Amino acid sequence: MDDIVDLVTRSLADETAAAFTERVDEQAMRLRKAIEAGEFDNEAFSVGLEIELYAINAEPDPPEPDDGEGSEEATEEDLNDDLSGSGSAAWSGSLDAPAEPEGGGGASLEPNGDGASLEPDDSNPLEPGGDASPDQNAGETADEPEDSFGPGEGPSLDIDPDSPLAEDEPETPEEEEAEPAVESSVEEESDEPYMDPEDWNGRLTPLPDVVFEGEANKELGLHNAEVNTEPNSFDETGMEVQTTAVEMQTKQARQQASKHNCELVLDAMWTIPPEEGSEQYLSAHETNDGVVLADNMRQAPRYVALDNEALDHAGGSIDFDVPGYSGSFPTILFESLATSIQPHLQIPDAEAFSEYYNAAIRTLGPLLALSVNSPFLPADMYGDTDGEWLCANTHHELRIAAFEQSVNTSENPKVRVPRDLDDTTDVVGRVVDDDLFAPFLREFLHDDDRTGFEDEFWEFDHKRGTYWRWLRCVAGGTPVEGASTEKSLRIEYRPLPTQPHAKDMIGLQALTVGLIRGLVVADHPAAELPWQEAKRSFYSAAQDGSDADLSWVTAEGERTVDHDDIYDEVFQYARLGLAEQGVPEARIDEYLDPIEARYEAGMTPSDWKIARVREYIDDGDDLSTAIESMQRDYIAASREHHSFEEWL
């Protein structure tokens, strides 16, 4: 722990900031020249996906931990890792599909599954009350140089999987135990549970370190995990491999957790609190030599440094304000309420990158509105809030507010909708101009010589990891076979929440990359929609979900707010983009039909959750009981079905 405190103190020192800034400036200059010289052009498009999950209790009898298990005392290896939950597999190109399970057929996440085949108003409706202007929290300030860019993953404090601060691939145990079913393999014992089973079921719980010996990677909170697919070329084969990887890797991570009395949940926000209560869990901390150490945060130097940086900017306490809840926290850990998925799309033509990026900004609102899945905070955070009022007024995607408010403490908020790009090299300048948070120098963590691309741009890559826009550029990465070298540019699409099933996540991945590709290949005028309208649509989607006030420019160049017009084109051009990459029509339908069914039914996961809570309240339950009952229904439905479409 003393090593972590020492590293954090060094990170936040003035002399570190000066040296770090000088190196970032020099590395950025070389990156610009390399992009202009065509060194970031590649052969083909490629895709990847990151998936965040959280852990709950799987049995009413708590397990006896092994000696040291679950301890967050940092090891020497931890000090050299980012512990972002990214792992080296997140962007290492391989076209080899994971091994088929016994009996053949596609893998399925579900334990009993058969195998899934697979200018106007600039206000930010999500912003809490206060003196800050809406643009300070969601848009770019007028004085900024067209914005900044970045890499990294999910509304979370992670960095890009290719960053030199990313965690090493965990070692495989010498002796592999036979994988159990996804249901917990812990045998029932005769001892009485220390808590009523009904109260125990579904509560948030930390994950023991042994769970991360498989496919799962560590994330910000002790209860968080992340699974990443290896990136593949964006074509028929690549999408097939992505499908298999999402199912197999997520299933393996859940099986590993089940050995230790935990269940990993595919959901966007946990709502059944841990035993000590949500606010207590998110606030628990100690201070060591002036450094705040959050009890339930991974004790990785980078996380701790970021926490202390944000707290310092906020004056020692960070406010969180959403419908039905207003409070403050002594740590950024309330960001760990949220889990997300992040599709990646690598663009082979560097000169065309800005065209894809600007088109992608216009898709943020429509795609978020289809996928919303976090309308409720943990049940015990609402106090005496009226349930009917909350169901009518809560935001459909509270993740957006949780992430923005947890780290938007500096002068120029870091989590927001990015501005359009005028030129591809703008992505470099935006990182340079972004507010500096918790810098590290390479020699703090490594004593060897710099070799290769990652080491050459180490400090730039570190700063890139704190550029938390809802759409980011990742410059550089592990080569993808048949598609790219380590010098590549890709879009990281960050606002989408984790979905109830693997099939839903694969569908959203296909919809996202297909739509961005289809808009550009068809020369669609979507990017003519004013940026302010695209931004407004995004925050309206976060607030109102499927009822969002969206704006779009049609293929004929006409402005529309009609949902039928918008989604007709969203699915049409996503299909076009997938077909352009060689994906057969039948497979396109398998990917997109479950997502399109949501629109046709007028029901998102968030709508389902709100309706369920209303039903319990109408039956006489109080708000807290209704939310917890809804959550248990959600978990049960995600076990019983193969896609959200089946819930409708």
Side-chain angles (χ1 to χ4, degrees):
M1 193 61 67
D2 289 341
D3 290 338
I4 290 178
V5 171
D6 177 62
L7 276 171
V8 171
T9 301
R10 294 170 70 188
S11 169
L12 302 180
D14 291 342
E15 54 267 30
T16 296
F20 181 87
T21 299
E22 183 178 351
R23 294 183 192 182
V24 168
D25 289 344
E26 187 273 332
Q27 292 166 16
M29 180 178 64
R30 286 189 282 132
L31 272 176
R32 288 190 189 96
K33 290 180 178 179
I35 292 171
E36 290 170 345
E39 295 178 23
F40 280 74
D41 290 339
N42 282 285
E43 299 177 46
F45 291 86
S46 55
V47 292
L49 185 65
E50 301 168 65
I51 302 165
E52 296 172 354
L53 312 91
Y54 65 78
I56 60 171
N57 296 309
E59 297 287 341
D61 231 337
E64 291 294 331
D66 296 332
D67 290 341
E69 186 175 296
S71 170
E72 283 304 310
E73 186 70 28
T75 65
E76 182 176 350
E77 180 182 359
D78 290 333
L79 298 182
N80 293 320
D81 288 340
D82 169 58
L83 300 188
S84 66
S86 298
S88 61
W91 199 256
S92 58
S94 171
L95 293 176
D96 296 327
E100 288 275 315
E102 289 188 12
S108 173
L109 258 183
E110 287 65 60
N112 59 348
D114 302 321
S117 64
L118 291 191
E119 336 172 57
D121 181 15
D122 189 34
S123 63
N124 176 356
L126 295 181
E127 195 50 42
D131 298 330
S133 67
D135 250 5
Q136 284 179 312
N137 292 279
E140 306 296 339
T141 60
D143 296 334
E144 275 194 305
E146 271 314 306
D147 186 23
S148 322
F149 100 113
E153 334 321 301
S156 67
L157 301 178
D158 50 8
I159 63 174
D160 185 75
D162 307 308
S163 167
L165 291 185
E167 182 181 26
D168 294 333
E169 191 72 18
E171 294 183 5
T172 303
E174 291 184 6
E175 295 185 6
E176 288 280 288
E177 298 182 40
E179 296 288 7
V182 172
E183 293 91 353
S184 172
S185 62
V186 178
E187 296 182 1
E188 292 186 9
E189 299 183 14
S190 58
D191 295 340
E192 288 296 319
Y194 80 103
M195 183 185 293
D196 184 276
E198 185 66 25
D199 292 333
W200 173 271
N201 181 32
R203 288 196 176 277
L204 190 77
T205 190
L207 284 163
D209 280 347
V210 68
V211 170
F212 300 102
E213 293 175 355
E215 293 294 342
N217 298 295
K218 294 177 180 178
E219 249 290 351
L220 180 69
L222 298 184
H223 55 278
N224 291 135
E226 184 175 274
V227 172
N228 303 313
T229 66
E230 295 183 355
N232 303 104
S233 57
F234 182 16
D235 53 25
E236 178 183 5
T237 302
M239 289 301 298
E240 295 285 354
V241 174
Q242 287 287 304
T243 299
T244 304
V246 169
E247 294 188 327
M248 290 292 289
Q249 291 177 218
T250 311
K251 182 176 182 179
Q252 192 277 345
R254 299 180 80 187
Q255 289 174 334
Q256 187 75 357
S258 74
K259 299 177 186 178
H260 301 279
N261 210 52
C262 302
E263 180 175 354
L264 285 170
V265 180
L266 295 174
D267 191 15
M269 185 168 285
W270 50 274
T271 60
I272 302 179
E275 184 180 3
E276 65 267 40
S278 300
E279 290 182 310
Q280 293 87 341
Y281 178 86
L282 295 171
S283 299
H285 70 284
E286 62 181 69
T287 302
N288 187 331
D289 286 342
V291 174
V292 173
L293 299 161
D295 291 358
N296 296 302
M297 182 186 294
R298 299 282 171 196
Q299 295 302 299
R302 179 175 178 275
Y303 287 152
V304 178
L306 289 170
D307 192 10
N308 281 266
E309 183 86 78
L311 285 169
D312 183 60
H313 283 292
S317 181
I318 304 175
D319 294 336
F320 183 38
D321 190 353
V322 293
Y325 179 81
S326 182
S328 63
F329 292 89
T331 166
I332 61 173
L333 189 61
F334 69 90
E335 186 273 331
S336 70
L337 286 165
T339 50
S340 65
I341 61 172
Q342 297 109 40
H344 286 241
L345 175 63
Q346 183 229 300
I347 312 301
D349 180 2
E351 187 176 353
F353 184 87
S354 58
E355 187 177 3
Y356 284 92
Y357 190 86
N358 295 344
I361 291 173
R362 275 70 188 172
T363 70
L364 292 172
L367 295 195
L368 181 62
L370 281 175
S371 60
V372 287
N373 192 22
S374 60
F376 296 109
L377 297 176
D380 62 338
M381 293 178 71
Y382 286 115
D384 59 359
T385 300
D386 179 75
E388 289 289 351
W389 179 90
L390 184 66
C391 288
N393 290 279
T394 189
H395 296 164
H396 282 252
E397 198 51 43
L398 292 173
R399 290 171 41 260
I400 304 301
F403 189 41
E404 290 193 350
Q405 294 180 40
S406 65
V407 293
N408 277 355
T409 61
S410 62
E411 183 178 356
N412 300 300
K414 297 171 74 66
V415 187
R416 44 187 157 139
V417 175
R419 286 279 187 178
D420 290 335
L421 294 174
D422 292 326
D423 184 83
T424 301
T425 56
D426 290 347
V427 300
V428 178
R430 293 182 175 187
V431 171
V432 173
D433 295 329
D434 199 36
D435 286 357
L436 180 61
F437 258 44
F440 277 75
L441 302 177
R442 186 179 182 275
E443 57 265 29
F444 288 1
L445 303 175
H446 303 280
D447 58 8
D448 57 333
D449 294 333
R450 295 181 187 243
T451 58
F453 180 86
E454 287 185 356
D455 290 342
E456 186 179 359
F457 299 99
W458 199 96
E459 281 79 9
F460 180 89
D461 198 46
H462 180 77
K463 188 172 185 184
R464 184 174 63 115
T466 68
Y467 181 93
W468 296 303
R469 303 307 191 267
W470 291 115
L471 195 70
R472 302 199 295 196
C473 169
V474 181
T478 304
V480 178
E481 183 179 341
S484 69
T485 68
E486 62 184 2
K487 294 182 179 180
S488 62
L489 297 172
R490 68 184 188 268
I491 293 171
E492 181 198 9
Y493 204 94
R494 296 172 54 81
L496 302 181
T498 300
Q499 300 294 296
H501 300 277
K503 193 171 184 179
D504 301 315
M505 295 186 292
I506 294 163
L508 278 177
Q509 178 191 27
L511 178 62
T512 301
V513 298
L515 178 58
I516 296 170
R517 177 68 174 127
L519 292 174
V520 175
V521 76
D523 197 25
H524 190 285
E528 294 179 7
L529 181 72
W531 176 84
Q532 292 284 4
E533 278 295 290
K535 172 189 164 186
R536 187 198 54 73
S537 292
F538 171 72
Y539 286 105
S540 180
Q543 179 169 330
D544 298 320
S546 56
D547 292 327
D549 182 9
L550 303 175
S551 293
W552 186 256
V553 171
T554 68
E556 290 74 32
E558 298 177 355
R559 294 272 291 275
T560 184
V561 296
D562 183 89
H563 279 206
D564 287 340
D565 292 340
I566 294 171
Y567 284 106
D568 281 350
E569 292 204 349
V570 163
F571 288 104
Q572 175 188 346
Y573 285 91
R575 285 184 161 83
L576 173 64
L578 291 167
E580 180 71 16
Q581 296 306 117
V583 181
E585 183 177 356
R587 292 299 285 157
I588 292 173
D589 289 342
E590 286 188 41
Y591 294 140
L592 299 187
D593 283 356
I595 309 301
E596 194 163 13
R598 299 182 180 190
Y599 176 69
E600 293 170 350
M603 180 70 69
T604 64
S606 179
D607 291 322
W608 183 92
K609 288 179 175 180
I610 292 172
R612 207 72 166 186
V613 169
R614 278 198 173 109
E615 289 177 12
Y616 282 111
I617 290 173
D618 289 344
D619 288 342
D621 287 346
D622 60 44
L623 176 61
S624 180
T625 302
I627 290 175
E628 292 192 10
S629 297
M630 171 279 296
Q631 189 66 62
R632 294 186 177 103
D633 290 347
Y634 177 100
I635 294 168
S638 68
R639 294 182 185 127
E640 296 166 4
H641 300 293
H642 296 83
S643 72
F644 179 71
E645 176 187 14
E646 297 177 10
W647 302 21
L648 304 180

